[in-house]
Amino acid sequence: MRGVTWLAVCGVVAGCAVAPPESLVPYRVAGDTIPVPLTAEPGDPARGRSVVAGRDANCLLCHAVPDSGARFMGNLAPPLGAAGTRLSAGQLRLRIADSARVNRNTIMPSYYRTDGLTQVAEAWRGKPMLSAQQVEDTVAYLLTLR
């Protein structure tokens, strides 16, 4: 299961947008990080803030984000304030791309993993929830939270 049911629920109930089909950029996990960015273009914190605060990733469903402007935020997962102090870019990247690699019991979906998932709606199979650039933009934004 590990976040798989969430992926299906996110697509059906919350209306999350799936990143356009693309071939996933291969990445290497080293310890608890993906040390190399998924894109050549640096992440943009403003676009990353939009990903975090928007419905595409639905981060606010579980996390409190200090400057999101949202009135209601989740408390199921750690607040993201000071995420840039607690975690490196590589650690953030792995947690966004495939959080189950860090905590196999997490309820956080794997936003950039498509293999090994079950109970995913047909329209979503083989598609990442976020593009490689959206992952990098989100990492760039979270690094600004200090």
Side-chain angles (χ1 to χ4, degrees), residues 33-52:
T33 73
I34 297 174
V36 177
L38 301 176
T39 61
E41 180 182 337
D44 179 281
R47 289 190 314 236
R49 182 180 188 279
S50 294
V51 170
V52 169

Side-chain angles (χ1 to χ4, degrees), residues 123-135:
W124 292 61
R125 290 187 186 147
K127 298 175 186 173
M129 291 178 69
L130 297 177
S131 69
Q133 189 61 56
Q134 287 174 311
V135 170

